[in-house]
Amino acid sequence: MELKNFFAAGAYDQGLQYIEKSKFYQDKNERLLTLMEKGMLLHAKGEWEQSSLALDEARTLSAQLYTVSVSKKAEKALLNDNFDVFYGEIYERSLLHFYLSLNAILNYQKTGKRDDLFKARAEVLAWDSFLNSIKEDRLGSSVYKNDLLLKLYGAKIHEMMATREDRQIALQLYKDAGDVIFKNYNTYPSFNLNYKEFKKYFSKLAGLPATEVKKKYVAATDHQKLLQSYIEQNIARLSKPAKKTLLDLRTPVTLILEKGIIAEKVADKNFYGLDFLAKEPIVALFVADVLGLLPTPNSYNPGGAFLGIGVASVALKSVGVGFELPKILNVSAPKQQTLVITTPEGKEVLTKDIPLINPLGDIAEEAVFEGSAWTYTRVGFRLAAKHASAIAASFATYKALGGGNKGQNDFLAKNAALIQYIGAAKMIEESEKADTRNWSTLPNEIRLIDLDLLPGNYHLEITFGPTEKISLGEITVTAADVPLLFNVRKN
């Protein structure tokens, strides 16, 4: 949380110092997370080459971590995730490629080194390769496996290469973007009012005609409609032969806007049933007795004992052990934003709505939810096993102290066993805290907008309504035939 506060305040140097001094970030298990956070702080500072050094190391480490053998993963299933190495979510690993490419293109525009332009394109290709490598394992699930940002940002990078071949690749990426929206981004509430139904029946949708899917499971939001229009305009532009027009006097400008800070990752309470213990009558009887669910001692008889075991079994089926799983506290839905461009003298030049590309709050929420759903059984079973061991130990104490016999010893035995179990249960709960580690300095949303501007100086601001405005600062547009890219981060 401290690091997010530094980042939100624009205190990037203090954030870097915090990382260097923090015992948490210096832990070897947190190496990937440390590199991600450091890379983002340096990116926000405009130190793109230093940022790329950290992010490139993070990418290499991430690839190494995901080559962990199946046997190693099986061993780690016995441990709490907090004691494991931080691997990062798929969307976090994916965004390493984006920021490496973005750093390269920004540095190219600063220095004019063509090597950086080629690095930017190479990173787009590596990004595409990475996503292709994970798609097969995630088929049939709505979980993150494709990125609209890759298509649209990647198209701009290919346009900046200014070759006929790259222009054709850019055109195809714009066409692919529409497919990604339909198949993948309709699972997000920012794009589809029927996102719950779309996710619920996702595995069946591939077998239905597209027209039926759109009719029954898609209700496009204003964000999606604006983005579809943006994609169609770019497809139309690149589908026509290049001709000299008066617009050639203007420079094509692409603004990448990173806004906010990604939603917080928190611990969410869950429960796992102990019904499998009910298969052991003696254990069921003991647990029910400790819980006070059996008939009174004076009524013990074969029928009463049988009734008691039956009650115990029912009780165990309704009892669950508590544990935590992570979830994203996504409370900030993206708003419609309008870009207003003025001259230094305050004269309005252009007003244009800004398409939403990546609602990272939605993406993170779904990714973490899917991960927690997969983890639920593994962690729940591990916890249940621990509780079973604790119950067995307390049962042994109960018997050792004379439990089950009439008289004072039975009372003492019950109390000792109960105290022992309660103590063990608390220790188990403390050992099973949710893994809430995440790349905390990512933006909450990424937007992209195209403009055509005469060379000159401009002031940018975004509006959310009649009164709410945020200044994005100044830009200087130079004469250019290929897109000139500007990146703005507003926390």
Side-chain angles (χ1 to χ4, degrees):
M1 181 59 73
E2 289 90 346
L3 186 60
K4 290 186 76 167
N5 289 338
F6 283 129
F7 196 92
Y12 306 129
D13 286 327
Q14 289 166 277
L16 289 166
Q17 292 171 12
Y18 176 79
I19 288 176
E20 293 301 320
K21 295 177 181 178
S22 168
K23 289 183 179 180
F24 171 79
Y25 286 108
Q26 296 310 309
D27 189 301
K28 64 179 181 180
N29 283 350
E30 316 305 331
R31 182 60 180 165
L32 176 59
L33 182 58
T34 300
L35 291 167
M36 286 174 163
E37 302 287 23
K38 183 178 179 180
M40 183 60 79
L41 286 161
L42 291 166
H43 167 78
K45 281 188 67 180
E47 296 183 11
W48 302 309
E49 289 183 328
Q50 293 300 312
S51 173
S52 290
L53 289 175
L55 296 178
D56 187 56
E57 186 178 345
R59 178 182 56 179
T60 301
L61 177 58
S62 175
Q64 292 171 350
L65 290 174
Y66 271 81
T67 60
V68 175
S69 67
V70 174
S71 60
K72 284 288 184 183
K73 289 181 180 178
E75 290 173 13
K76 288 176 179 176
L78 301 175
L79 301 173
N80 177 269
D81 292 338
N82 275 332
F83 298 105
D84 200 1
V85 173
F86 175 78
Y87 294 98
E89 298 284 351
I90 297 294
Y91 74 89
E92 292 171 326
R93 297 171 60 207
S94 175
L95 285 170
L96 286 170
H97 294 281
F98 168 63
Y99 283 105
L100 280 165
S101 179
L102 184 56
N103 283 339
I105 204 67
L106 292 172
N107 206 55
Y108 161 69
Q109 293 185 159
K110 178 181 177 182
T111 66
K113 295 179 182 178
R114 292 281 295 179
D115 283 351
D116 285 320
L117 177 58
F118 287 106
K119 283 181 184 177
R121 183 179 64 172
E123 202 57 54
V124 167
L125 298 175
W127 189 2
D128 184 61
S129 178
F130 166 73
L131 289 174
N132 282 329
S133 72
I134 67 169
K135 283 178 187 176
E136 191 168 340
D137 292 336
R138 302 164 83 82
L139 291 175
S141 171
S142 65
V143 70
Y144 175 90
K145 56 180 172 284
N146 212 331
D147 202 310
L148 191 59
L149 187 62
L150 165 64
K151 305 300 183 183
L152 299 178
Y153 166 82
K156 290 303 170 189
I157 297 302
H158 280 286
E159 285 193 65
M160 293 177 77
M161 297 299 299
T163 68
R164 181 179 179 183
E165 180 182 1
D166 281 292
R167 181 182 170 93
Q168 288 303 308
I169 293 173
L171 175 58
Q172 186 58 51
L173 287 172
Y174 285 121
K175 292 178 179 178
D176 292 344
D179 194 50
V180 171
I181 293 176
F182 179 58
K183 293 181 178 179
N184 303 115
Y185 276 50
N186 272 318
T187 64
Y188 302 134
S190 294
F191 286 94
N192 182 12
L193 297 174
N194 289 343
Y195 73 97
K196 290 182 179 179
E197 292 295 298
F198 192 92
K199 289 175 66 173
K200 182 178 180 180
Y201 297 103
F202 187 85
S203 61
K204 301 178 181 179
L205 299 185
L208 299 177
T211 52
E212 184 177 345
V213 174
K214 289 179 181 179
K215 182 179 180 180
K216 291 184 177 180
Y217 303 103
V218 178
T221 64
D222 289 340
H223 290 303
Q224 180 173 165
K225 292 174 183 177
L226 178 61
L227 183 55
Q228 293 280 13
S229 177
Y230 168 79
I231 292 170
E232 290 166 4
Q233 289 169 15
N234 277 283
I235 291 174
R237 175 176 58 84
L238 290 179
S239 296
K240 299 174 182 178
K243 293 182 179 180
K244 293 289 183 180
T245 69
L246 291 176
L247 286 178
D248 291 334
L249 299 175
R250 299 174 180 267
T251 296
V253 172
T254 293
L255 173 67
I256 296 176
L257 174 62
E258 304 170 68
K259 189 173 180 302
I261 297 180
I262 198 162
E264 187 178 1
K265 195 175 187 181
V266 299
D268 186 37
K269 193 77 169 183
N270 289 263
F271 294 90
Y272 191 84
L274 295 177
D275 55 297
F276 68 91
L277 293 176
K279 297 176 182 178
E280 300 291 336
I282 295 176
V283 176
L285 185 63
F286 166 70
V287 174
D289 195 15
V290 170
L291 295 174
L293 298 176
L294 280 174
T296 61
N298 291 335
S299 66
Y300 276 10
N301 54 57
F306 179 81
L307 176 62
I309 291 172
V311 173
S313 298
V314 172
L316 283 169
K317 289 179 180 179
S318 64
V319 170
V321 292
F323 65 102
E324 294 178 346
L325 286 174
K327 76 171 185 179
I328 294 293
L329 198 63
N330 187 21
V331 295
S332 180
K335 299 178 181 179
Q336 188 61 52
Q337 297 178 19
T338 301
L339 178 68
V340 180
I341 305 176
T342 58
T343 64
E345 296 76 28
K347 181 181 178 181
E348 187 173 305
V349 175
L350 181 67
T351 299
K352 194 172 184 180
D353 290 335
I354 313 172
L356 173 67
I357 308 300
N358 267 15
L360 283 174
D362 288 357
I363 291 172
E365 182 179 24
E366 182 193 49
V368 173
F369 174 80
E370 292 278 358
S372 291
W374 179 86
T375 306
Y376 175 85
T377 301
R378 176 173 64 87
V379 176
F381 181 80
R382 183 174 69 219
L383 268 164
K386 289 182 179 180
H387 278 274
S389 296
I391 289 171
S394 63
F395 181 65
T397 297
Y398 172 72
K399 297 299 290 183
L401 294 177
N405 301 318
K406 295 180 179 180
Q408 187 176 8
N409 283 351
D410 187 56
F411 176 77
L412 294 174
K414 285 183 178 181
N415 278 278
L418 179 58
I419 291 171
Q420 180 180 343
Y421 176 71
I422 290 174
K426 287 183 178 179
M427 291 179 64
I428 293 169
E429 187 171 358
E430 284 299 313
S431 72
E432 292 288 350
K433 295 294 184 182
D435 182 3
T436 57
R437 296 171 295 179
N438 72 324
W439 191 354
S440 66
T441 51
L442 284 172
N444 199 53
E445 58 185 67
I446 300 176
R447 297 174 184 252
L448 190 151
I449 187 171
D450 293 341
L451 312 162
D452 289 299
L453 297 172
L454 290 169
N457 298 320
Y458 299 94
H459 175 76
L460 308 180
E461 70 177 19
I462 51 176
T463 64
F464 303 90
T467 58
E468 192 176 358
K469 300 178 181 180
I470 297 178
S471 174
L472 301 182
E474 317 295 325
I475 63 170
T476 298
V477 177
T478 56
D481 294 326
V482 297
L484 186 63
L485 190 146
F486 291 93
N487 175 225
V488 178
R489 175 74 187 257
K490 207 68 180 177
N491 299 327

